Amino acid sequence: MTGPVTGPPGPVTEPEWALGYAWDIVLRGRGATPFEPGRAAR
Amino acid sequence: MTDPERLRRGQTVRHDVLGDAFELRPYQRPRGVHPPLDSPAYRSSALRAPRQPLVLLPHRLTEITGPLLGEERVRPGDADLTAGQPGEPQGERIIVTGRVLDGDGRPVRASLVEIWQANAAGRYRHAADRHPAPLDPNFTGLGRCLTDDAGRYRFVTIKPGAYPWGNHPNAWRPAHIHFSLFGRSFTQRLVTQMYFPSDPLQPLDPIVGSVPGADARQRLVARFDIGLTQPEWALGYAWDIVLRGRGATPFEPGGAAR
């Protein structure tokens, strides 16, 4: 994957409503997200 | 000289109450452990923080001898917050256990330990809680037990959720359980909160932040313990409560906070 990895467009947590978590998925390269080898595990 | 004046001067006060000798020893809150009465970032503390120096009230027969709840009124089931309802509560079942210790590491026996907490969705069963998260008909969030001869308490409950609390824009309380401890008389009460490890909301929380010092704040965080964890049943958390000394648990200055 090339190009910069960007985060979410703004604050994710919504006041009085829900906590927000940000998680980018990177397909390849040094910052690649680990993927499971086959089908979904537990 | 009155009893408060003697205590302020560091003198021990002795009384004979119905043939039993009682000693009141001078006590000063240690610095760097407990939160201050007024913590500006914790906004509601300004409303209840005294503006005048505290007045030590004399402890007489009533204050020293009672009343207490009474050990016979605490039932074993009171320590299981997941039981006693028509069904099981929603959420992550956990075991919270530890010891109540004095400043010398000795167990504090027969202390009434009470807890209250939000449900798994971060909602209290309380009329004042308007957080739009679901109530759980099978969860009151209230529990109590007496420490045993080793000073040990143990609760089975549900991991509480975080919730918004309006202290400042986008303010969220980290997951926590409120604890109250009674000593040998009604006037011996301590209140504090237990937190869970690795909660990203803790560094943002003004109530956690009102406790001076990272070491003292860490003493409010329970430890996940795989040894306490019951396979196929519940995760285990260990949390000791220390009344005094270098390892003292930080206690709230007055009554219960949110």
PDB file of all heavy atoms in Angstrom, chain B residues 35-70:
ATOM      1  N   PRO B  35      -7.320  12.412  47.419  1.00  0.00           N
ATOM      2  CA  PRO B  35      -7.672  13.613  46.654  1.00  0.00           C
ATOM      3  C   PRO B  35      -8.049  14.757  47.577  1.00  0.00           C
ATOM      4  O   PRO B  35      -8.548  14.535  48.681  1.00  0.00           O
ATOM      5  CB  PRO B  35      -8.875  13.154  45.818  1.00  0.00           C
ATOM      6  CG  PRO B  35      -9.441  11.994  46.561  1.00  0.00           C
ATOM      7  CD  PRO B  35      -8.293  11.324  47.245  1.00  0.00           C
ATOM      8  N   PRO B  36      -7.850  15.988  47.131  1.00  0.00           N
ATOM      9  CA  PRO B  36      -8.231  17.142  47.957  1.00  0.00           C
ATOM     10  C   PRO B  36      -9.736  17.302  47.997  1.00  0.00           C
ATOM     11  O   PRO B  36     -10.470  16.729  47.187  1.00  0.00           O
ATOM     12  CB  PRO B  36      -7.572  18.323  47.243  1.00  0.00           C
ATOM     13  CG  PRO B  36      -7.473  17.874  45.817  1.00  0.00           C
ATOM     14  CD  PRO B  36      -7.261  16.383  45.848  1.00  0.00           C
ATOM     15  N   LEU B  37     -10.203  18.080  48.961  1.00  0.00           N
ATOM     16  CA  LEU B  37     -11.652  18.322  49.072  1.00  0.00           C
ATOM     17  C   LEU B  37     -12.182  19.065  47.852  1.00  0.00           C
ATOM     18  O   LEU B  37     -13.284  18.802  47.394  1.00  0.00           O
ATOM     19  CB  LEU B  37     -11.937  19.124  50.342  1.00  0.00           C
ATOM     20  CG  LEU B  37     -11.647  18.378  51.654  1.00  0.00           C
ATOM     21  CD1 LEU B  37     -11.502  19.365  52.799  1.00  0.00           C
ATOM     22  CD2 LEU B  37     -12.762  17.395  51.949  1.00  0.00           C
ATOM     23  N   ASP B  38     -11.399  19.976  47.337  1.00  0.00           N
ATOM     24  CA  ASP B  38     -11.823  20.770  46.187  1.00  0.00           C
ATOM     25  C   ASP B  38     -10.851  20.519  45.041  1.00  0.00           C
ATOM     26  O   ASP B  38      -9.676  20.824  45.141  1.00  0.00           O
ATOM     27  CB  ASP B  38     -11.850  22.251  46.555  1.00  0.00           C
ATOM     28  CG  ASP B  38     -12.404  23.086  45.405  1.00  0.00           C
ATOM     29  OD1 ASP B  38     -12.778  22.506  44.366  1.00  0.00           O
ATOM     30  OD2 ASP B  38     -12.459  24.320  45.557  1.00  0.00           O
ATOM     31  N   SER B  39     -11.367  19.917  43.988  1.00  0.00           N
ATOM     32  CA  SER B  39     -10.555  19.607  42.825  1.00  0.00           C
ATOM     33  C   SER B  39     -11.194  20.319  41.630  1.00  0.00           C
ATOM     34  O   SER B  39     -12.212  19.873  41.121  1.00  0.00           O
ATOM     35  CB  SER B  39     -10.599  18.101  42.589  1.00  0.00           C
ATOM     36  OG  SER B  39      -9.386  17.571  42.391  1.00  0.00           O
ATOM     37  N   PRO B  40     -10.682  21.473  41.192  1.00  0.00           N
ATOM     38  CA  PRO B  40     -11.398  22.295  40.202  1.00  0.00           C
ATOM     39  C   PRO B  40     -11.825  21.543  38.943  1.00  0.00           C
ATOM     40  O   PRO B  40     -12.919  21.781  38.427  1.00  0.00           O
ATOM     41  CB  PRO B  40     -10.385  23.392  39.881  1.00  0.00           C
ATOM     42  CG  PRO B  40      -9.560  23.500  41.118  1.00  0.00           C
ATOM     43  CD  PRO B  40      -9.451  22.107  41.660  1.00  0.00           C
ATOM     44  N   ALA B  41     -10.989  20.635  38.460  1.00  0.00           N
ATOM     45  CA  ALA B  41     -11.363  19.913  37.237  1.00  0.00           C
ATOM     46  C   ALA B  41     -12.541  18.973  37.475  1.00  0.00           C
ATOM     47  O   ALA B  41     -13.251  18.615  36.534  1.00  0.00           O
ATOM     48  CB  ALA B  41     -10.161  19.131  36.709  1.00  0.00           C
ATOM     49  N   TYR B  42     -12.733  18.562  38.713  1.00  0.00           N
ATOM     50  CA  TYR B  42     -13.856  17.712  39.108  1.00  0.00           C
ATOM     51  C   TYR B  42     -14.903  18.684  39.652  1.00  0.00           C
ATOM     52  O   TYR B  42     -14.908  19.020  40.822  1.00  0.00           O
ATOM     53  CB  TYR B  42     -13.355  16.717  40.149  1.00  0.00           C
ATOM     54  CG  TYR B  42     -14.368  15.804  40.792  1.00  0.00           C
ATOM     55  CD1 TYR B  42     -15.667  15.684  40.332  1.00  0.00           C
ATOM     56  CD2 TYR B  42     -13.990  15.031  41.880  1.00  0.00           C
ATOM     57  CE1 TYR B  42     -16.565  14.841  40.934  1.00  0.00           C
ATOM     58  CE2 TYR B  42     -14.873  14.175  42.494  1.00  0.00           C
ATOM     59  CZ  TYR B  42     -16.164  14.098  42.022  1.00  0.00           C
ATOM     60  OH  TYR B  42     -17.062  13.269  42.645  1.00  0.00           O
ATOM     61  N   ARG B  43     -15.780  19.169  38.767  1.00  0.00           N
ATOM     62  CA  ARG B  43     -16.517  20.402  39.029  1.00  0.00           C
ATOM     63  C   ARG B  43     -17.413  20.335  40.254  1.00  0.00           C
ATOM     64  O   ARG B  43     -17.497  21.304  41.003  1.00  0.00           O
ATOM     65  CB  ARG B  43     -17.327  20.791  37.792  1.00  0.00           C
ATOM     66  CG  ARG B  43     -16.451  21.427  36.734  1.00  0.00           C
ATOM     67  CD  ARG B  43     -17.217  21.656  35.436  1.00  0.00           C
ATOM     68  NE  ARG B  43     -18.552  22.204  35.671  1.00  0.00           N
ATOM     69  CZ  ARG B  43     -19.562  22.085  34.810  1.00  0.00           C
ATOM     70  NH1 ARG B  43     -19.369  21.445  33.691  1.00  0.00           N
ATOM     71  NH2 ARG B  43     -20.738  22.609  35.089  1.00  0.00           N
ATOM     72  N   SER B  44     -18.112  19.214  40.454  1.00  0.00           N
ATOM     73  CA  SER B  44     -19.058  19.190  41.568  1.00  0.00           C
ATOM     74  C   SER B  44     -18.364  19.190  42.924  1.00  0.00           C
ATOM     75  O   SER B  44     -19.007  19.442  43.946  1.00  0.00           O
ATOM     76  CB  SER B  44     -19.994  17.984  41.446  1.00  0.00           C
ATOM     77  OG  SER B  44     -19.262  16.787  41.507  1.00  0.00           O
ATOM     78  N   SER B  45     -17.052  18.912  42.951  1.00  0.00           N
ATOM     79  CA  SER B  45     -16.362  18.942  44.249  1.00  0.00           C
ATOM     80  C   SER B  45     -16.359  20.351  44.826  1.00  0.00           C
ATOM     81  O   SER B  45     -16.325  20.535  46.043  1.00  0.00           O
ATOM     82  CB  SER B  45     -14.936  18.382  44.129  1.00  0.00           C
ATOM     83  OG  SER B  45     -14.120  19.247  43.373  1.00  0.00           O
ATOM     84  N   ALA B  46     -16.438  21.380  43.945  1.00  0.00           N
ATOM     85  CA  ALA B  46     -16.456  22.757  44.453  1.00  0.00           C
ATOM     86  C   ALA B  46     -17.726  23.042  45.240  1.00  0.00           C
ATOM     87  O   ALA B  46     -17.730  23.872  46.151  1.00  0.00           O
ATOM     88  CB  ALA B  46     -16.326  23.734  43.289  1.00  0.00           C
ATOM     89  N   LEU B  47     -18.810  22.350  44.900  1.00  0.00           N
ATOM     90  CA  LEU B  47     -20.081  22.605  45.567  1.00  0.00           C
ATOM     91  C   LEU B  47     -20.115  22.056  46.992  1.00  0.00           C
ATOM     92  O   LEU B  47     -20.879  22.531  47.824  1.00  0.00           O
ATOM     93  CB  LEU B  47     -21.230  21.968  44.754  1.00  0.00           C
ATOM     94  CG  LEU B  47     -21.362  22.444  43.315  1.00  0.00           C
ATOM     95  CD1 LEU B  47     -22.433  21.636  42.586  1.00  0.00           C
ATOM     96  CD2 LEU B  47     -21.707  23.924  43.276  1.00  0.00           C
ATOM     97  N   ARG B  48     -19.322  21.026  47.253  1.00  0.00           N
ATOM     98  CA  ARG B  48     -19.390  20.415  48.583  1.00  0.00           C
ATOM     99  C   ARG B  48     -18.110  20.589  49.391  1.00  0.00           C
ATOM    100  O   ARG B  48     -18.060  20.168  50.543  1.00  0.00           O
ATOM    101  CB  ARG B  48     -19.726  18.926  48.464  1.00  0.00           C
ATOM    102  CG  ARG B  48     -18.807  18.125  47.564  1.00  0.00           C
ATOM    103  CD  ARG B  48     -19.168  16.635  47.609  1.00  0.00           C
ATOM    104  NE  ARG B  48     -18.370  15.888  46.659  1.00  0.00           N
ATOM    105  CZ  ARG B  48     -18.771  15.551  45.449  1.00  0.00           C
ATOM    106  NH1 ARG B  48     -19.968  15.901  45.029  1.00  0.00           N
ATOM    107  NH2 ARG B  48     -17.987  14.879  44.629  1.00  0.00           N
ATOM    108  N   ALA B  49     -17.112  21.220  48.800  1.00  0.00           N
ATOM    109  CA  ALA B  49     -15.866  21.405  49.550  1.00  0.00           C
ATOM    110  C   ALA B  49     -16.069  22.507  50.593  1.00  0.00           C
ATOM    111  O   ALA B  49     -16.597  23.564  50.280  1.00  0.00           O
ATOM    112  CB  ALA B  49     -14.738  21.787  48.602  1.00  0.00           C
ATOM    113  N   PRO B  50     -15.691  22.264  51.833  1.00  0.00           N
ATOM    114  CA  PRO B  50     -15.864  23.293  52.866  1.00  0.00           C
ATOM    115  C   PRO B  50     -14.945  24.487  52.617  1.00  0.00           C
ATOM    116  O   PRO B  50     -13.824  24.340  52.133  1.00  0.00           O
ATOM    117  CB  PRO B  50     -15.495  22.558  54.159  1.00  0.00           C
ATOM    118  CG  PRO B  50     -14.611  21.443  53.713  1.00  0.00           C
ATOM    119  CD  PRO B  50     -15.073  21.046  52.344  1.00  0.00           C
ATOM    120  N   ARG B  51     -15.462  25.669  52.938  1.00  0.00           N
ATOM    121  CA  ARG B  51     -14.646  26.879  52.779  1.00  0.00           C
ATOM    122  C   ARG B  51     -13.985  27.294  54.096  1.00  0.00           C
ATOM    123  O   ARG B  51     -13.172  28.198  54.126  1.00  0.00           O
ATOM    124  CB  ARG B  51     -15.520  28.027  52.260  1.00  0.00           C
ATOM    125  CG  ARG B  51     -16.015  27.783  50.848  1.00  0.00           C
ATOM    126  CD  ARG B  51     -16.803  28.982  50.302  1.00  0.00           C
ATOM    127  NE  ARG B  51     -17.121  28.775  48.895  1.00  0.00           N
ATOM    128  CZ  ARG B  51     -18.162  28.090  48.452  1.00  0.00           C
ATOM    129  NH1 ARG B  51     -18.980  27.537  49.313  1.00  0.00           N
ATOM    130  NH2 ARG B  51     -18.385  27.948  47.158  1.00  0.00           N
ATOM    131  N   GLN B  52     -14.393  26.650  55.168  1.00  0.00           N
ATOM    132  CA  GLN B  52     -13.805  26.930  56.475  1.00  0.00           C
ATOM    133  C   GLN B  52     -13.007  25.708  56.924  1.00  0.00           C
ATOM    134  O   GLN B  52     -13.256  24.588  56.460  1.00  0.00           O
ATOM    135  CB  GLN B  52     -14.919  27.211  57.497  1.00  0.00           C
ATOM    136  CG  GLN B  52     -15.849  28.342  57.119  1.00  0.00           C
ATOM    137  CD  GLN B  52     -15.147  29.685  57.151  1.00  0.00           C
ATOM    138  OE1 GLN B  52     -14.257  29.897  57.984  1.00  0.00           O
ATOM    139  NE2 GLN B  52     -15.507  30.579  56.232  1.00  0.00           N
ATOM    140  N   PRO B  53     -12.055  25.916  57.823  1.00  0.00           N
ATOM    141  CA  PRO B  53     -11.312  24.755  58.350  1.00  0.00           C
ATOM    142  C   PRO B  53     -12.270  23.762  59.004  1.00  0.00           C
ATOM    143  O   PRO B  53     -13.284  24.149  59.585  1.00  0.00           O
ATOM    144  CB  PRO B  53     -10.369  25.371  59.399  1.00  0.00           C
ATOM    145  CG  PRO B  53     -10.303  26.813  59.047  1.00  0.00           C
ATOM    146  CD  PRO B  53     -11.604  27.178  58.393  1.00  0.00           C
ATOM    147  N   LEU B  54     -11.954  22.483  58.900  1.00  0.00           N
ATOM    148  CA  LEU B  54     -12.811  21.451  59.471  1.00  0.00           C
ATOM    149  C   LEU B  54     -12.810  21.531  60.991  1.00  0.00           C
ATOM    150  O   LEU B  54     -11.799  21.866  61.607  1.00  0.00           O
ATOM    151  CB  LEU B  54     -12.337  20.065  59.030  1.00  0.00           C
ATOM    152  CG  LEU B  54     -12.398  19.779  57.528  1.00  0.00           C
ATOM    153  CD1 LEU B  54     -11.908  18.369  57.256  1.00  0.00           C
ATOM    154  CD2 LEU B  54     -13.806  19.972  56.998  1.00  0.00           C
ATOM    155  N   VAL B  55     -13.946  21.227  61.583  1.00  0.00           N
ATOM    156  CA  VAL B  55     -14.077  21.176  63.038  1.00  0.00           C
ATOM    157  C   VAL B  55     -14.145  19.710  63.437  1.00  0.00           C
ATOM    158  O   VAL B  55     -14.975  18.947  62.930  1.00  0.00           O
ATOM    159  CB  VAL B  55     -15.349  21.912  63.502  1.00  0.00           C
ATOM    160  CG1 VAL B  55     -15.541  21.760  65.006  1.00  0.00           C
ATOM    161  CG2 VAL B  55     -15.280  23.386  63.111  1.00  0.00           C
ATOM    162  N   LEU B  56     -13.264  19.298  64.304  1.00  0.00           N
ATOM    163  CA  LEU B  56     -13.287  17.919  64.779  1.00  0.00           C
ATOM    164  C   LEU B  56     -14.361  17.788  65.850  1.00  0.00           C
ATOM    165  O   LEU B  56     -14.340  18.487  66.859  1.00  0.00           O
ATOM    166  CB  LEU B  56     -11.924  17.538  65.357  1.00  0.00           C
ATOM    167  CG  LEU B  56     -10.805  17.326  64.347  1.00  0.00           C
ATOM    168  CD1 LEU B  56      -9.481  17.196  65.082  1.00  0.00           C
ATOM    169  CD2 LEU B  56     -11.067  16.090  63.518  1.00  0.00           C
ATOM    170  N   LEU B  57     -15.314  16.924  65.600  1.00  0.00           N
ATOM    171  CA  LEU B  57     -16.373  16.728  66.579  1.00  0.00           C
ATOM    172  C   LEU B  57     -15.930  15.695  67.611  1.00  0.00           C
ATOM    173  O   LEU B  57     -15.269  14.717  67.257  1.00  0.00           O
ATOM    174  CB  LEU B  57     -17.653  16.250  65.890  1.00  0.00           C
ATOM    175  CG  LEU B  57     -18.279  17.242  64.914  1.00  0.00           C
ATOM    176  CD1 LEU B  57     -19.436  16.598  64.175  1.00  0.00           C
ATOM    177  CD2 LEU B  57     -18.749  18.484  65.657  1.00  0.00           C
ATOM    178  N   PRO B  58     -16.294  15.905  68.861  1.00  0.00           N
ATOM    179  CA  PRO B  58     -15.909  14.915  69.873  1.00  0.00           C
ATOM    180  C   PRO B  58     -16.595  13.577  69.632  1.00  0.00           C
ATOM    181  O   PRO B  58     -17.764  13.536  69.246  1.00  0.00           O
ATOM    182  CB  PRO B  58     -16.374  15.553  71.185  1.00  0.00           C
ATOM    183  CG  PRO B  58     -17.436  16.521  70.781  1.00  0.00           C
ATOM    184  CD  PRO B  58     -17.065  17.019  69.416  1.00  0.00           C
ATOM    185  N   HIS B  59     -15.872  12.513  69.826  1.00  0.00           N
ATOM    186  CA  HIS B  59     -16.457  11.186  69.709  1.00  0.00           C
ATOM    187  C   HIS B  59     -16.887  10.716  71.085  1.00  0.00           C
ATOM    188  O   HIS B  59     -16.065  10.509  71.961  1.00  0.00           O
ATOM    189  CB  HIS B  59     -15.433  10.209  69.102  1.00  0.00           C
ATOM    190  CG  HIS B  59     -15.355  10.324  67.612  1.00  0.00           C
ATOM    191  ND1 HIS B  59     -15.006   9.288  66.792  1.00  0.00           N
ATOM    192  CD2 HIS B  59     -15.604  11.367  66.794  1.00  0.00           C
ATOM    193  CE1 HIS B  59     -15.037   9.692  65.538  1.00  0.00           C
ATOM    194  NE2 HIS B  59     -15.382  10.957  65.520  1.00  0.00           N
ATOM    195  N   ARG B  60     -18.183  10.568  71.237  1.00  0.00           N
ATOM    196  CA  ARG B  60     -18.704  10.124  72.520  1.00  0.00           C
ATOM    197  C   ARG B  60     -19.346   8.761  72.345  1.00  0.00           C
ATOM    198  O   ARG B  60     -19.103   8.079  71.352  1.00  0.00           O
ATOM    199  CB  ARG B  60     -19.674  11.168  73.062  1.00  0.00           C
ATOM    200  CG  ARG B  60     -19.033  12.548  73.206  1.00  0.00           C
ATOM    201  CD  ARG B  60     -19.857  13.445  74.075  1.00  0.00           C
ATOM    202  NE  ARG B  60     -19.379  14.824  74.050  1.00  0.00           N
ATOM    203  CZ  ARG B  60     -18.266  15.253  74.667  1.00  0.00           C
ATOM    204  NH1 ARG B  60     -17.521  14.416  75.351  1.00  0.00           N
ATOM    205  NH2 ARG B  60     -17.906  16.506  74.597  1.00  0.00           N
ATOM    206  N   LEU B  61     -20.147   8.376  73.283  1.00  0.00           N
ATOM    207  CA  LEU B  61     -20.669   7.008  73.315  1.00  0.00           C
ATOM    208  C   LEU B  61     -21.313   6.606  71.978  1.00  0.00           C
ATOM    209  O   LEU B  61     -21.034   5.539  71.426  1.00  0.00           O
ATOM    210  CB  LEU B  61     -21.695   6.898  74.448  1.00  0.00           C
ATOM    211  CG  LEU B  61     -22.265   5.499  74.673  1.00  0.00           C
ATOM    212  CD1 LEU B  61     -21.186   4.558  75.178  1.00  0.00           C
ATOM    213  CD2 LEU B  61     -23.412   5.565  75.689  1.00  0.00           C
ATOM    214  N   THR B  62     -22.148   7.479  71.427  1.00  0.00           N
ATOM    215  CA  THR B  62     -22.875   7.140  70.198  1.00  0.00           C
ATOM    216  C   THR B  62     -21.903   6.918  69.036  1.00  0.00           C
ATOM    217  O   THR B  62     -22.010   5.933  68.295  1.00  0.00           O
ATOM    218  CB  THR B  62     -23.853   8.272  69.842  1.00  0.00           C
ATOM    219  OG1 THR B  62     -24.748   8.460  70.930  1.00  0.00           O
ATOM    220  CG2 THR B  62     -24.639   7.928  68.596  1.00  0.00           C
ATOM    221  N   GLU B  63     -20.960   7.824  68.888  1.00  0.00           N
ATOM    222  CA  GLU B  63     -20.050   7.730  67.746  1.00  0.00           C
ATOM    223  C   GLU B  63     -19.126   6.522  67.860  1.00  0.00           C
ATOM    224  O   GLU B  63     -18.722   5.938  66.854  1.00  0.00           O
ATOM    225  CB  GLU B  63     -19.208   9.006  67.635  1.00  0.00           C
ATOM    226  CG  GLU B  63     -19.980  10.237  67.180  1.00  0.00           C
ATOM    227  CD  GLU B  63     -20.749  10.883  68.310  1.00  0.00           C
ATOM    228  OE1 GLU B  63     -20.553  10.478  69.474  1.00  0.00           O
ATOM    229  OE2 GLU B  63     -21.565  11.787  68.023  1.00  0.00           O
ATOM    230  N   ILE B  64     -18.755   6.151  69.070  1.00  0.00           N
ATOM    231  CA  ILE B  64     -17.770   5.084  69.243  1.00  0.00           C
ATOM    232  C   ILE B  64     -18.411   3.698  69.228  1.00  0.00           C
ATOM    233  O   ILE B  64     -17.830   2.739  68.734  1.00  0.00           O
ATOM    234  CB  ILE B  64     -16.996   5.302  70.570  1.00  0.00           C
ATOM    235  CG1 ILE B  64     -16.121   6.557  70.444  1.00  0.00           C
ATOM    236  CG2 ILE B  64     -16.127   4.100  70.912  1.00  0.00           C
ATOM    237  CD1 ILE B  64     -15.431   6.950  71.727  1.00  0.00           C
ATOM    238  N   THR B  65     -19.641   3.614  69.701  1.00  0.00           N
ATOM    239  CA  THR B  65     -20.198   2.265  69.896  1.00  0.00           C
ATOM    240  C   THR B  65     -21.240   1.877  68.847  1.00  0.00           C
ATOM    241  O   THR B  65     -21.623   0.722  68.783  1.00  0.00           O
ATOM    242  CB  THR B  65     -20.851   2.154  71.284  1.00  0.00           C
ATOM    243  OG1 THR B  65     -21.911   3.119  71.372  1.00  0.00           O
ATOM    244  CG2 THR B  65     -19.851   2.384  72.380  1.00  0.00           C
ATOM    245  N   GLY B  66     -21.713   2.781  68.046  1.00  0.00           N
ATOM    246  CA  GLY B  66     -22.680   2.314  67.055  1.00  0.00           C
ATOM    247  C   GLY B  66     -23.504   3.440  66.496  1.00  0.00           C
ATOM    248  O   GLY B  66     -23.189   4.592  66.725  1.00  0.00           O
ATOM    249  N   PRO B  67     -24.526   3.150  65.729  1.00  0.00           N
ATOM    250  CA  PRO B  67     -24.968   1.801  65.386  1.00  0.00           C
ATOM    251  C   PRO B  67     -24.236   1.244  64.176  1.00  0.00           C
ATOM    252  O   PRO B  67     -23.712   1.986  63.364  1.00  0.00           O
ATOM    253  CB  PRO B  67     -26.438   2.027  65.035  1.00  0.00           C
ATOM    254  CG  PRO B  67     -26.449   3.414  64.433  1.00  0.00           C
ATOM    255  CD  PRO B  67     -25.391   4.185  65.177  1.00  0.00           C
ATOM    256  N   LEU B  68     -24.193  -0.056  64.087  1.00  0.00           N
ATOM    257  CA  LEU B  68     -23.675  -0.737  62.910  1.00  0.00           C
ATOM    258  C   LEU B  68     -24.811  -1.526  62.280  1.00  0.00           C
ATOM    259  O   LEU B  68     -25.846  -1.766  62.902  1.00  0.00           O
ATOM    260  CB  LEU B  68     -22.523  -1.671  63.282  1.00  0.00           C
ATOM    261  CG  LEU B  68     -21.166  -1.010  63.506  1.00  0.00           C
ATOM    262  CD1 LEU B  68     -20.172  -2.009  64.068  1.00  0.00           C
ATOM    263  CD2 LEU B  68     -20.628  -0.445  62.188  1.00  0.00           C
ATOM    264  N   LEU B  69     -24.595  -1.930  61.029  1.00  0.00           N
ATOM    265  CA  LEU B  69     -25.628  -2.691  60.321  1.00  0.00           C
ATOM    266  C   LEU B  69     -25.955  -3.981  61.069  1.00  0.00           C
ATOM    267  O   LEU B  69     -27.104  -4.385  61.169  1.00  0.00           O
ATOM    268  CB  LEU B  69     -25.157  -3.011  58.906  1.00  0.00           C
ATOM    269  CG  LEU B  69     -26.083  -3.885  58.091  1.00  0.00           C
ATOM    270  CD1 LEU B  69     -27.328  -3.098  57.679  1.00  0.00           C
ATOM    271  CD2 LEU B  69     -25.385  -4.446  56.872  1.00  0.00           C
ATOM    272  N   GLY B  70     -24.950  -4.629  61.603  1.00  0.00           N
ATOM    273  CA  GLY B  70     -25.161  -5.907  62.271  1.00  0.00           C
ATOM    274  C   GLY B  70     -24.746  -7.050  61.380  1.00  0.00           C
ATOM    275  O   GLY B  70     -25.276  -7.218  60.283  1.00  0.00           O
TER     276      GLY B  70
END
